[in-house]
Amino acid sequence: MASLHSFRRELRRMDHGRVLLGTDVGQICENVASALAPHQMELRGRTLPEKAAMSRLRVGDLDLVKLRYGSDVAIWPEPSNEFLLLQFVLSGRVEVEHEGTLTVGNEGQGLIIEALDHRHLRLSADCEQLIIPVRRSTISRAIEVLTGRPAPARYGFDQSFDLGQPSGASLLCLARYLLLCPPGIASSGSPIGTLAADLLANHLILAHRGAGSLEPKSAAAPYPVVRAEKYMRENYALPISINDLASHAGVSPRTLSSAFRRFRGVSPMERLRELRLEQVRASLSDGSAVTVAHAAAMAGFPHAGRFSEIYRQHFGESPNVTLAKARTN
């Protein structure tokens, strides 16, 4: 596979940060746990892992970990639901046994380990992997935005896939992008890692889930949007921040913003302004407002001058014209 071979060459740039993990099993486990997860390990043969090495690259808050043990090993990760592990098998063979089911990843394949509960891994001596941990909270948030429903406890992702097929090759391209990111935009705190993690999550949901698609069932807005809009309508006259809306909707501000842009085409605060403008127009049209300034203030617009321009841009006429029409009728 030409793309995998070129990717392996590009991965050599990670070697400047390579760490030799030692020959003591306990020391190796401790070093790997610092980048991935606590686990127990034992040698499957009599040879010591003299070539055990790990390279780690951080892009924002996302990690790329290149790992090889250099010996046949068996691994028992400690149970954890914090991360999902996306693994690219660069060479050799990985076997993952879980609840009586054996999943095999050979060179040129990818593996998705949803959670580290009751897994038994076996790696060949020539096995080398690139591993990307993805927070399960990121996956769950993406599912919530896509479907409008709470994420299930089990995602049901494909346990293995071919890096030569479109869905696998696209993941390889994303990993290559992270690898080649200029240091200036890949530093800690950069949004690139967050954006890449969100893209990874959405790709896994839409392209690597077997039976039972997690795509939206309908065009109906998800419940965080509905709850936020209900709160807006009931409290439009009050000062409202994005944090207020997110807290009431029960999601993070970023999740709420993503949901609004997907299902409403605007940000939550832009939607709040639309609802306030609609309230002003209603009060001007039905005669319940005495003046434009009164209607604007009652709908949560403190500055009448700026409000008039916003109103005209939205409705194509000034609020004074709307009020005059109501009085004429």
Side-chain angles (χ1 to χ4, degrees):
M1 184 187 301
S3 59
L4 182 62
H5 293 323
S6 62
F7 183 55
R8 280 204 297 255
R9 287 196 300 269
E10 291 168 347
L11 280 171
R12 292 173 186 168
R13 67 179 55 215
M14 293 181 64
D15 290 343
H16 72 275
R18 182 175 60 178
V19 176
L20 294 175
L21 300 177
T23 58
D24 176 79
V25 170
Q27 183 184 12
I28 293 173
C29 288
E30 183 178 347
N31 287 329
V32 173
S34 67
L36 295 172
H39 60 283
Q40 296 180 355
M41 185 186 83
E42 69 177 30
L43 300 175
R44 296 174 62 195
R46 296 182 177 181
T47 58
L48 291 173
E50 297 178 354
K51 297 181 180 180
M54 179 180 71
S55 302
R56 183 178 183 181
L57 175 67
R58 172 154 288 190
V59 181
D61 295 327
L62 201 62
D63 280 319
L64 281 71
V65 180
K66 186 171 72 166
L67 177 64
R68 76 161 186 265
Y69 287 101
S71 297
D72 293 328
V73 296
I75 296 172
W76 292 267
E78 293 184 10
S80 172
N81 284 314
E82 184 177 1
F83 291 97
L84 172 152
L85 296 183
L86 176 60
Q87 302 177 230
F88 301 90
V89 184
L90 305 173
S91 63
R93 178 184 176 94
V94 179
E95 297 178 356
V96 182
E97 187 175 346
H98 178 236
E99 297 179 345
T101 299
L102 180 65
T103 301
V104 177
N106 292 305
E107 178 179 322
Q109 291 185 297
L111 298 171
I112 302 173
I113 299 182
E114 284 198 21
L116 300 179
D117 55 342
H118 310 295
R119 257 80 173 179
H120 176 202
L121 284 71
R122 294 182 290 271
L123 283 68
S124 64
D126 59 344
C127 177
E128 186 170 49
Q129 304 175 76
L130 178 70
I131 304 172
I132 304 178
V134 184
R135 290 187 180 277
R136 287 176 61 87
S137 58
T138 301
I139 303 287
S140 295
R141 183 174 63 245
I143 290 174
E144 183 180 277
V145 171
L146 281 170
T147 67
R149 298 185 298 273
R154 296 281 182 178
Y155 301 138
F157 289 134
D158 298 329
Q159 296 181 56
S160 65
F161 56 91
D162 191 338
L163 294 175
Q165 296 300 312
S167 60
S170 57
L171 279 176
L172 203 62
C173 288
L174 180 54
R176 176 179 283 113
Y177 168 75
L178 294 172
L179 177 67
L180 300 176
C181 254
I185 65 172
S187 59
S188 180
S190 163
I192 291 296
T194 299
L195 293 171
D198 288 339
L199 180 57
L200 273 173
N202 281 277
H203 180 89
L204 292 173
I205 293 164
L206 298 174
H208 288 279
R209 191 170 188 269
S213 175
L214 284 177
E215 296 186 53
K217 298 293 184 181
S218 70
Y223 77 93
V225 171
V226 174
R227 290 178 64 181
E229 287 184 334
K230 182 175 184 293
Y231 183 78
M232 292 176 189
R233 291 189 176 94
E234 293 174 349
N235 300 278
Y236 57 82
L238 301 176
I240 298 175
S241 69
I242 181 63
N243 289 332
D244 295 330
L245 294 173
S247 177
H248 188 79
V251 296
S252 70
R254 187 174 68 180
T255 296
L256 188 65
S257 295
S258 297
F260 263 87
R261 291 200 178 278
R262 177 176 176 82
F263 290 92
R264 292 293 185 257
V266 294
S267 71
M269 299 309 291
E270 288 170 334
R271 180 58 177 149
L272 174 60
R273 187 174 70 175
E274 289 178 349
L275 293 176
R276 283 172 167 167
L277 286 168
E278 291 169 7
Q279 176 60 32
V280 172
R281 188 172 181 81
S283 63
L284 292 175
S285 300
D286 64 16
S288 60
V290 179
T291 66
V292 170
H294 176 252
M298 292 300 293
F301 290 102
H303 306 295
R306 174 63 181 143
F307 158 76
S308 295
E309 178 61 22
I310 295 172
Y311 185 99
R312 186 191 65 76
Q313 292 175 353
H314 191 77
F315 294 112
E317 66 180 24
S318 72
N320 285 316
V321 170
T322 304
L323 182 60
K325 288 179 179 178
R327 288 174 176 173
T328 301
N329 296 332

